[in-house]
Amino acid sequence: MTTGLFPTAFDGDTPPTPSGKKLPLCREVKWDFEKKTPIFENGNPVVVEGSAAVEVWVWHAIQAERYRYEHESWRYGCELNRLRGRSYQKGTVEAEAKRYVTEALLVSPYITAAEVTEMDLEGDVLRFAVRFEDIYGEGGTVRV
């Protein structure tokens, strides 16, 4: 059983983090965000690297419920489920959701900045976009 945030390490050249620590190249299985499924070619998962891999990690980190699964680090995941069933005002829900998402992403050494740029709360459905910057100098936007 792994105790680290990233259970699989890959060799590769990456730029140093702001702290100067060199990280392995970020690699993930390519993900179809619309269908919420991994992408396969010829029966094998397609692997993406760099910023594309960080984007997949961002999406998964937001979707994963923090503290729920023993096999995942308690630093991994998001606490958005804490907002379910609460009778908070819209402004409070939005502020807490932004904080939860930002905290969930900034635990990654591959992410240097994260900001929720759009938020829409209709009834009990929360949709948002988060913009992130990574150590590869690219970053991206993920919509949830």
Side-chain angles (χ1 to χ4, degrees):
M1 181 170 120
T2 183
T3 58
L5 182 61
F6 301 100
T8 308
F10 294 95
D11 291 330
D13 237 1
T14 60
T17 63
S19 66
K21 181 180 175 187
K22 201 162 173 108
L23 297 169
L25 179 63
C26 186
R27 298 180 79 193
E28 287 283 348
V29 173
K30 190 172 183 179
W31 200 258
D32 184 330
F33 300 112
E34 299 276 324
K35 295 178 183 176
K36 301 180 182 178
T37 59
I39 296 175
F40 287 83
E41 278 184 11
N42 302 321
N44 296 312
V46 177
V47 175
V48 291
E49 299 176 338
S51 285
V54 174
E55 182 179 11
V56 172
W57 186 92
V58 165
W59 191 86
H60 282 288
I62 293 169
Q63 302 295 322
E65 186 177 340
R66 184 177 270 176
Y67 309 122
R68 181 159 186 185
Y69 300 104
E70 189 175 311
H71 67 274
E72 292 178 339
S73 166
W74 279 22
R75 293 182 60 213
Y76 178 77
C78 195
E79 297 178 62
L80 286 173
N81 279 337
R82 288 180 173 229
L83 299 174
R84 283 191 176 156
R86 307 283 186 199
S87 57
Y88 296 132
Q89 293 180 352
K90 182 178 180 178
T92 303
V93 170
E94 290 176 350
E96 283 296 282
K98 286 179 182 181
R99 181 175 69 86
Y100 288 149
V101 169
T102 303
E103 287 176 357
L105 300 183
L106 292 179
V107 300
S108 172
Y110 292 93
I111 297 174
T112 58
E115 176 186 15
V116 177
T117 57
E118 301 171 25
M119 185 160 287
D120 182 35
L121 177 63
E122 276 190 43
D124 60 351
V125 177
L126 177 66
R127 300 197 187 289
F128 58 90
V130 62
R131 170 95 178 111
F132 67 91
E133 294 177 18
D134 58 36
I135 63 170
Y136 303 106
E138 295 178 35
T141 300
V142 173
R143 298 189 185 288
V144 178

